[in-house]
Amino acid sequence: MEHGIYALSAERRRAARRRTVLSCCVQAFTGPAFAIAVFGTVAVLFLGAFQNLYALFIMDGLMEFGYHRTVFESAIASDVMTMALPVLSALPYTASYLDDIRSGFIKEYLPRTTGWSYLTGKLLACMLSGGLALMLGLLLGAGLMSLLIMPKELALTAGEILEPWLTELTWICVRYFASGAFWSLVGMTMAAATGSRYMAYASPFILYYVLIILCERYFTGLYLFYPTEWVNPSETWVGGNWGILALLGELYLLFAGWFLLLGKRRLERL
């Protein structure tokens, strides 16, 4: 499992591990798929807000102050965003591990690092790219919506208090990041389990909608495993945002452990 640098000192192995993780992250963030996922998120966000935006620009007069926030919140809760979330998070890096094996690149790369470093780098880069693609897309979309809508809003009148928006927007981005990281991890794990590149992109979508169907039709009270609750939670969550992050953290450990086990066995056969 440790391949060519097993005999190196612990310090040099740590340095190799850092280089491997950094290399995987650079590969994930600079690829065209990451940019497609970011701008795809922006496009989906505007599709979800299309009806409100269309009504805004064909009507006369001005809307109440803060209408841009209302439009943004309706867009992230729309059906189109719900449908696209697992697909967008799977785009950047979920198939990279399988691509390395099929192309033979992994045989050239492993002598320069350790097996665990390679698998850890793939794991972290996959989760970070899947989560950041959604988060950056939301931030970019929120900024563009504000630029478009705020000139059509009334100004605050005397005595009105500006409601805090930055804190809520931050938590929205955190929830989408955490959810995107999980679905990208699901895609990479299922690709490693099945040996199919198509499962890297299809499995997050399939599992996502299986959970939605089960929670909406058969287990209506099981909101913990209702994926839309992870990004747009109701008031029933124990612990609020922290409760969502704790649940997703446990799911991370489950799928990450599965991926590392599968990856270890595959590398031992090379």
mmCIF file of all heavy atoms in Angstrom, residues 193-220:
data_model
loop_
_atom_site.group_PDB
_atom_site.id
_atom_site.type_symbol
_atom_site.label_atom_id
_atom_site.label_comp_id
_atom_site.label_asym_id
_atom_site.label_seq_id
_atom_site.Cartn_x
_atom_site.Cartn_y
_atom_site.Cartn_z
ATOM 1 N N ALA A 193 -16.976 1.470 -5.996
ATOM 2 C CA ALA A 193 -17.633 0.203 -5.678
ATOM 3 C C ALA A 193 -18.075 -0.548 -6.919
ATOM 4 O O ALA A 193 -18.012 -1.786 -6.968
ATOM 5 C CB ALA A 193 -18.832 0.456 -4.767
ATOM 6 N N THR A 194 -18.538 0.188 -7.933
ATOM 7 C CA THR A 194 -19.093 -0.460 -9.121
ATOM 8 C C THR A 194 -18.118 -0.533 -10.291
ATOM 9 O O THR A 194 -18.327 -1.312 -11.214
ATOM 10 C CB THR A 194 -20.358 0.287 -9.590
ATOM 11 O OG1 THR A 194 -19.996 1.629 -9.942
ATOM 12 C CG2 THR A 194 -21.405 0.318 -8.488
ATOM 13 N N GLY A 195 -17.083 0.300 -10.268
ATOM 14 C CA GLY A 195 -16.164 0.353 -11.399
ATOM 15 C C GLY A 195 -16.758 1.035 -12.612
ATOM 16 O O GLY A 195 -16.230 0.917 -13.714
ATOM 17 N N SER A 196 -17.835 1.784 -12.418
ATOM 18 C CA SER A 196 -18.521 2.451 -13.525
ATOM 19 C C SER A 196 -18.389 3.959 -13.395
ATOM 20 O O SER A 196 -18.733 4.539 -12.353
ATOM 21 C CB SER A 196 -20.008 2.071 -13.541
ATOM 22 O OG SER A 196 -20.720 2.867 -14.460
ATOM 23 N N ARG A 197 -17.894 4.582 -14.442
ATOM 24 C CA ARG A 197 -17.753 6.038 -14.448
ATOM 25 C C ARG A 197 -19.127 6.713 -14.426
ATOM 26 O O ARG A 197 -19.271 7.801 -13.844
ATOM 27 C CB ARG A 197 -16.973 6.469 -15.687
ATOM 28 C CG ARG A 197 -16.488 7.902 -15.676
ATOM 29 C CD ARG A 197 -15.603 8.191 -16.882
ATOM 30 N NE ARG A 197 -14.951 9.475 -16.746
ATOM 31 C CZ ARG A 197 -15.484 10.633 -17.131
ATOM 32 N NH1 ARG A 197 -16.688 10.635 -17.681
ATOM 33 N NH2 ARG A 197 -14.818 11.766 -16.985
ATOM 34 N N TYR A 198 -20.098 6.095 -15.056
ATOM 35 C CA TYR A 198 -21.435 6.689 -15.096
ATOM 36 C C TYR A 198 -22.066 6.746 -13.709
ATOM 37 O O TYR A 198 -22.840 7.652 -13.406
ATOM 38 C CB TYR A 198 -22.323 5.903 -16.053
ATOM 39 C CG TYR A 198 -21.822 5.936 -17.480
ATOM 40 C CD1 TYR A 198 -21.209 4.828 -18.039
ATOM 41 C CD2 TYR A 198 -21.937 7.089 -18.253
ATOM 42 C CE1 TYR A 198 -20.734 4.855 -19.347
ATOM 43 C CE2 TYR A 198 -21.465 7.128 -19.557
ATOM 44 C CZ TYR A 198 -20.863 6.004 -20.097
ATOM 45 O OH TYR A 198 -20.382 6.044 -21.376
ATOM 46 N N MET A 199 -21.724 5.768 -12.861
ATOM 47 C CA MET A 199 -22.272 5.777 -11.503
ATOM 48 C C MET A 199 -21.733 6.929 -10.672
ATOM 49 O O MET A 199 -22.363 7.338 -9.702
ATOM 50 C CB MET A 199 -21.962 4.449 -10.814
ATOM 51 C CG MET A 199 -22.766 3.276 -11.342
ATOM 52 S SD MET A 199 -24.554 3.526 -11.169
ATOM 53 C CE MET A 199 -24.731 3.477 -9.383
ATOM 54 N N ALA A 200 -20.571 7.456 -11.046
ATOM 55 C CA ALA A 200 -20.031 8.614 -10.339
ATOM 56 C C ALA A 200 -20.987 9.800 -10.430
ATOM 57 O O ALA A 200 -21.117 10.585 -9.480
ATOM 58 C CB ALA A 200 -18.663 8.986 -10.914
ATOM 59 N N TYR A 201 -21.661 9.942 -11.568
ATOM 60 C CA TYR A 201 -22.574 11.054 -11.766
ATOM 61 C C TYR A 201 -24.031 10.685 -11.467
ATOM 62 O O TYR A 201 -24.806 11.543 -11.034
ATOM 63 C CB TYR A 201 -22.476 11.548 -13.211
ATOM 64 C CG TYR A 201 -21.073 11.932 -13.612
ATOM 65 C CD1 TYR A 201 -20.365 11.200 -14.554
ATOM 66 C CD2 TYR A 201 -20.436 13.025 -13.028
ATOM 67 C CE1 TYR A 201 -19.072 11.545 -14.926
ATOM 68 C CE2 TYR A 201 -19.143 13.378 -13.380
ATOM 69 C CZ TYR A 201 -18.465 12.639 -14.332
ATOM 70 O OH TYR A 201 -17.178 12.974 -14.678
ATOM 71 N N ALA A 202 -24.388 9.427 -11.693
ATOM 72 C CA ALA A 202 -25.787 9.025 -11.527
ATOM 73 C C ALA A 202 -26.134 8.667 -10.088
ATOM 74 O O ALA A 202 -27.257 8.919 -9.643
ATOM 75 C CB ALA A 202 -26.093 7.837 -12.435
ATOM 76 N N SER A 203 -25.215 8.060 -9.354
ATOM 77 C CA SER A 203 -25.550 7.552 -8.019
ATOM 78 C C SER A 203 -25.978 8.639 -7.036
ATOM 79 O O SER A 203 -26.915 8.402 -6.251
ATOM 80 C CB SER A 203 -24.385 6.734 -7.456
ATOM 81 O OG SER A 203 -23.203 7.494 -7.397
ATOM 82 N N PRO A 204 -25.348 9.833 -7.008
ATOM 83 C CA PRO A 204 -25.869 10.860 -6.093
ATOM 84 C C PRO A 204 -27.313 11.228 -6.396
ATOM 85 O O PRO A 204 -28.132 11.382 -5.479
ATOM 86 C CB PRO A 204 -24.927 12.047 -6.319
ATOM 87 C CG PRO A 204 -23.674 11.458 -6.845
ATOM 88 C CD PRO A 204 -24.109 10.289 -7.672
ATOM 89 N N PHE A 205 -27.636 11.364 -7.689
ATOM 90 C CA PHE A 205 -29.007 11.698 -8.086
ATOM 91 C C PHE A 205 -29.971 10.594 -7.690
ATOM 92 O O PHE A 205 -31.065 10.851 -7.172
ATOM 93 C CB PHE A 205 -29.039 11.925 -9.594
ATOM 94 C CG PHE A 205 -30.375 12.331 -10.134
ATOM 95 C CD1 PHE A 205 -30.774 13.661 -10.119
ATOM 96 C CD2 PHE A 205 -31.256 11.385 -10.650
ATOM 97 C CE1 PHE A 205 -32.016 14.029 -10.622
ATOM 98 C CE2 PHE A 205 -32.487 11.755 -11.154
ATOM 99 C CZ PHE A 205 -32.866 13.083 -11.134
ATOM 100 N N ILE A 206 -29.576 9.340 -7.918
ATOM 101 C CA ILE A 206 -30.454 8.208 -7.601
ATOM 102 C C ILE A 206 -30.718 8.116 -6.107
ATOM 103 O O ILE A 206 -31.873 8.013 -5.661
ATOM 104 C CB ILE A 206 -29.836 6.900 -8.125
ATOM 105 C CG1 ILE A 206 -29.793 6.898 -9.654
ATOM 106 C CG2 ILE A 206 -30.625 5.690 -7.613
ATOM 107 C CD1 ILE A 206 -29.006 5.747 -10.242
ATOM 108 N N LEU A 207 -29.656 8.155 -5.301
ATOM 109 C CA LEU A 207 -29.827 8.061 -3.852
ATOM 110 C C LEU A 207 -30.621 9.247 -3.317
ATOM 111 O O LEU A 207 -31.476 9.096 -2.425
ATOM 112 C CB LEU A 207 -28.461 7.988 -3.170
ATOM 113 C CG LEU A 207 -28.464 7.904 -1.640
ATOM 114 C CD1 LEU A 207 -29.242 6.679 -1.159
ATOM 115 C CD2 LEU A 207 -27.043 7.890 -1.096
ATOM 116 N N TYR A 208 -30.354 10.415 -3.855
ATOM 117 C CA TYR A 208 -31.052 11.641 -3.451
ATOM 118 C C TYR A 208 -32.565 11.479 -3.609
ATOM 119 O O TYR A 208 -33.343 11.758 -2.684
ATOM 120 C CB TYR A 208 -30.529 12.785 -4.313
ATOM 121 C CG TYR A 208 -30.995 14.169 -3.965
ATOM 122 C CD1 TYR A 208 -30.335 14.935 -3.009
ATOM 123 C CD2 TYR A 208 -32.083 14.750 -4.620
ATOM 124 C CE1 TYR A 208 -30.737 16.224 -2.715
ATOM 125 C CE2 TYR A 208 -32.497 16.033 -4.334
ATOM 126 C CZ TYR A 208 -31.814 16.773 -3.377
ATOM 127 O OH TYR A 208 -32.232 18.054 -3.093
ATOM 128 N N TYR A 209 -32.989 10.988 -4.767
ATOM 129 C CA TYR A 209 -34.419 10.877 -5.025
ATOM 130 C C TYR A 209 -35.045 9.647 -4.391
ATOM 131 O O TYR A 209 -36.244 9.648 -4.102
ATOM 132 C CB TYR A 209 -34.690 10.939 -6.528
ATOM 133 C CG TYR A 209 -34.802 12.376 -6.945
ATOM 134 C CD1 TYR A 209 -33.690 13.078 -7.386
ATOM 135 C CD2 TYR A 209 -36.003 13.061 -6.807
ATOM 136 C CE1 TYR A 209 -33.772 14.415 -7.719
ATOM 137 C CE2 TYR A 209 -36.102 14.391 -7.136
ATOM 138 C CZ TYR A 209 -34.988 15.066 -7.588
ATOM 139 O OH TYR A 209 -35.082 16.397 -7.887
ATOM 140 N N VAL A 210 -34.271 8.619 -4.146
ATOM 141 C CA VAL A 210 -34.800 7.498 -3.367
ATOM 142 C C VAL A 210 -35.137 7.962 -1.954
ATOM 143 O O VAL A 210 -36.207 7.637 -1.404
ATOM 144 C CB VAL A 210 -33.785 6.340 -3.334
ATOM 145 C CG1 VAL A 210 -34.162 5.319 -2.256
ATOM 146 C CG2 VAL A 210 -33.722 5.641 -4.683
ATOM 147 N N LEU A 211 -34.247 8.755 -1.350
ATOM 148 C CA LEU A 211 -34.511 9.282 -0.008
ATOM 149 C C LEU A 211 -35.715 10.217 -0.006
ATOM 150 O O LEU A 211 -36.535 10.186 0.924
ATOM 151 C CB LEU A 211 -33.270 10.014 0.518
ATOM 152 C CG LEU A 211 -32.070 9.141 0.877
ATOM 153 C CD1 LEU A 211 -30.880 10.003 1.278
ATOM 154 C CD2 LEU A 211 -32.421 8.174 2.006
ATOM 155 N N ILE A 212 -35.833 11.049 -1.034
ATOM 156 C CA ILE A 212 -36.979 11.958 -1.114
ATOM 157 C C ILE A 212 -38.289 11.182 -1.218
ATOM 158 O O ILE A 212 -39.267 11.474 -0.516
ATOM 159 C CB ILE A 212 -36.818 12.913 -2.316
ATOM 160 C CG1 ILE A 212 -35.764 13.970 -2.011
ATOM 161 C CG2 ILE A 212 -38.151 13.585 -2.648
ATOM 162 C CD1 ILE A 212 -35.524 14.946 -3.138
ATOM 163 N N ILE A 213 -38.319 10.162 -2.065
ATOM 164 C CA ILE A 213 -39.535 9.352 -2.233
ATOM 165 C C ILE A 213 -39.897 8.641 -0.938
ATOM 166 O O ILE A 213 -41.064 8.617 -0.521
ATOM 167 C CB ILE A 213 -39.345 8.345 -3.382
ATOM 168 C CG1 ILE A 213 -39.274 9.075 -4.722
ATOM 169 C CG2 ILE A 213 -40.486 7.324 -3.403
ATOM 170 C CD1 ILE A 213 -38.861 8.205 -5.876
ATOM 171 N N LEU A 214 -38.898 8.060 -0.292
ATOM 172 C CA LEU A 214 -39.162 7.348 0.962
ATOM 173 C C LEU A 214 -39.699 8.289 2.032
ATOM 174 O O LEU A 214 -40.649 7.943 2.755
ATOM 175 C CB LEU A 214 -37.873 6.688 1.458
ATOM 176 C CG LEU A 214 -37.381 5.469 0.660
ATOM 177 C CD1 LEU A 214 -36.047 4.984 1.210
ATOM 178 C CD2 LEU A 214 -38.406 4.342 0.697
ATOM 179 N N CYS A 215 -39.102 9.488 2.136
ATOM 180 C CA CYS A 215 -39.522 10.415 3.180
ATOM 181 C C CYS A 215 -40.864 11.071 2.876
ATOM 182 O O CYS A 215 -41.626 11.380 3.801
ATOM 183 C CB CYS A 215 -38.448 11.489 3.371
ATOM 184 S SG CYS A 215 -36.909 10.879 4.099
ATOM 185 N N GLU A 216 -41.171 11.278 1.603
ATOM 186 C CA GLU A 216 -42.433 11.948 1.258
ATOM 187 C C GLU A 216 -43.619 10.990 1.238
ATOM 188 O O GLU A 216 -44.737 11.390 1.546
ATOM 189 C CB GLU A 216 -42.302 12.633 -0.105
ATOM 190 C CG GLU A 216 -41.441 13.882 -0.081
ATOM 191 C CD GLU A 216 -41.450 14.610 -1.419
ATOM 192 O OE1 GLU A 216 -41.954 14.014 -2.397
ATOM 193 O OE2 GLU A 216 -40.947 15.744 -1.473
ATOM 194 N N ARG A 217 -43.371 9.709 0.905
ATOM 195 C CA ARG A 217 -44.488 8.788 0.724
ATOM 196 C C ARG A 217 -44.655 7.783 1.860
ATOM 197 O O ARG A 217 -45.786 7.396 2.165
ATOM 198 C CB ARG A 217 -44.313 8.026 -0.593
ATOM 199 C CG ARG A 217 -44.372 8.902 -1.824
ATOM 200 C CD ARG A 217 -44.360 8.070 -3.088
ATOM 201 N NE ARG A 217 -44.407 8.886 -4.294
ATOM 202 C CZ ARG A 217 -44.421 8.406 -5.537
ATOM 203 N NH1 ARG A 217 -44.413 7.086 -5.730
ATOM 204 N NH2 ARG A 217 -44.455 9.212 -6.571
ATOM 205 N N TYR A 218 -43.556 7.353 2.444
ATOM 206 C CA TYR A 218 -43.641 6.238 3.389
ATOM 207 C C TYR A 218 -43.220 6.602 4.810
ATOM 208 O O TYR A 218 -43.797 6.092 5.769
ATOM 209 C CB TYR A 218 -42.775 5.073 2.884
ATOM 210 C CG TYR A 218 -43.140 4.619 1.493
ATOM 211 C CD1 TYR A 218 -42.318 4.918 0.402
ATOM 212 C CD2 TYR A 218 -44.311 3.908 1.247
ATOM 213 C CE1 TYR A 218 -42.652 4.515 -0.885
ATOM 214 C CE2 TYR A 218 -44.656 3.502 -0.037
ATOM 215 C CZ TYR A 218 -43.819 3.801 -1.098
ATOM 216 O OH TYR A 218 -44.156 3.401 -2.364
ATOM 217 N N PHE A 219 -42.219 7.437 4.966
ATOM 218 C CA PHE A 219 -41.720 7.781 6.299
ATOM 219 C C PHE A 219 -41.740 9.297 6.446
ATOM 220 O O PHE A 219 -40.693 9.950 6.522
ATOM 221 C CB PHE A 219 -40.302 7.234 6.498
ATOM 222 C CG PHE A 219 -40.174 5.759 6.226
ATOM 223 C CD1 PHE A 219 -39.631 5.302 5.032
ATOM 224 C CD2 PHE A 219 -40.613 4.829 7.166
ATOM 225 C CE1 PHE A 219 -39.517 3.943 4.781
ATOM 226 C CE2 PHE A 219 -40.497 3.475 6.921
ATOM 227 C CZ PHE A 219 -39.952 3.027 5.719
ATOM 228 N N THR A 220 -42.937 9.852 6.495
ATOM 229 C CA THR A 220 -43.091 11.305 6.473
ATOM 230 C C THR A 220 -42.507 11.986 7.709
ATOM 231 O O THR A 220 -42.186 13.173 7.652
ATOM 232 C CB THR A 220 -44.575 11.666 6.359
ATOM 233 O OG1 THR A 220 -45.315 11.018 7.415
ATOM 234 C CG2 THR A 220 -45.128 11.217 5.011
#
